[in-house]
Amino acid sequence: GDGVNMLNNKKIAVIMPAYNAEKTLEITYNELYKDIVDEIILVDDNSSDKTKEVAKRLNITTIVHDKNKGYGGNQKTCYTAALKTDADIVIMVHPDYQYTPKLVPAMAAMLAFDEYDACIASRFIGKSALKGGMPFYKFVANKILTFCQNVLMNERLTEYHTGFRAFTREVLEKCPLKDCNDDFVFDNEMLALILYKGFTIGQISCPTKYFPDASSINFLRSCKYGFGVLGVSFKYFLAKAGIYKSKIFKNDARVLDPSEELPYYEQNN
């Protein structure tokens, strides 16, 4: 952005957790509406392709993990870097182009006027998921998981599994993300913590694009993920009911530390 922010004078950062995204990073970046985005930060989780070189060429602030830290570990670095920039709103955009960056202004607006503390872009509002080519077994699994999670958590989200999300600074400061899982289940733990802390989550509809380059996890990994997210919801239920508090729901669970040193990437010209 040019510093003159249209959305209630809020500073907006886009974070991109990246792993082997060289083919799709540029098209994702080009569709970001730069007028409202003040910072773009990419964290490369030790990719084997040229993700970091592409990011640098596009003038994106780039951080590179020297070893793979997992999807959750990547996001921890992303949010830590975003907090360093003093952003008011932080939006996660996947550089694999599975979600359209064109919705970033809409998501930012949901938070900029203090109506919501977080926002998810859902593929399950309306009929877009199957039309967009989501495999039928994934559609059914997602619906069943979401139903079970809503029952356990007494919520009404249309999905818990979207990777397109926006958060206020306060959410990132108060939710103990440091103690969350470093793998795929991080996403679910984060939503659970947001709800547990009494923050509100808005939802907007989002078209689905499935194509060969979009990241996908195999069946076994999907099963592990399914049990993982149900486990998170069950722990949330126990914590809310005052029966048992697992690690992330305890009062001493750790938040991210914005003073942490991060490995910014300098290209050797």
Side-chain angles (χ1 to χ4, degrees), residues 208-254:
T208 319
K209 289 196 283 279
Y210 270 86
F211 54 91
D213 276 335
S215 66
S216 225
I217 56 178
N218 64 31
F219 183 71
L220 204 67
R221 192 95 191 265
S222 298
C223 290
K224 184 187 164 205
Y225 171 80
F227 285 114
V229 300
L230 287 176
V232 172
S233 294
F234 189 60
K235 287 174 186 165
Y236 175 94
F237 172 80
L238 293 176
K240 268 292 209 216
I243 298 166
Y244 169 73
K245 285 191 183 181
S246 56
K247 189 174 181 182
I248 61 171
F249 299 113
K250 288 190 172 138
N251 292 334
D252 60 354
R254 296 170 306 161

Side-chain angles (χ1 to χ4, degrees), residues 30 67 101 121 182 217 258:
N30 287 340
K67 53 178 178 285
D182 280 337
I217 56 178

Side-chain angles (χ1 to χ4, degrees), residues 21 26 29 35 86 112 127 140 169 185 254 261:
E26 187 156 8
Y29 173 81
D35 283 5
D86 292 329
K127 288 185 173 176
V140 172
R169 177 178 192 82
V185 118
R254 296 170 306 161
E261 288 282 309

Side-chain angles (χ1 to χ4, degrees), residues 120-192:
I120 59 169
S122 169
R123 299 161 296 181
F124 291 85
I125 299 173
K127 288 185 173 176
S128 82
L130 284 172
K131 283 207 178 98
M134 177 176 284
F136 187 68
Y137 84 92
K138 270 202 162 158
F139 178 81
V140 172
N142 201 318
K143 283 282 199 203
I144 293 169
L145 275 181
T146 296
F147 174 79
C148 296
Q149 290 185 268
N150 276 329
V151 169
L152 282 167
M153 297 171 69
N154 192 23
E155 287 295 334
R156 287 285 170 277
L157 291 182
T158 52
E159 78 159 313
Y160 287 81
H161 317 285
T162 171
F164 197 1
R165 298 145 167 239
F167 311 102
T168 60
R169 177 178 192 82
E170 196 186 356
V171 162
L172 299 178
E173 287 174 335
K174 297 208 170 142
C175 293
L177 301 177
K178 201 177 190 64
D179 279 335
C180 287
N181 191 288
D182 280 337
D183 201 12
F184 274 94
V185 118
F186 176 92
D187 264 3
N188 247 267
E189 289 183 336
M190 189 172 184
L191 288 182

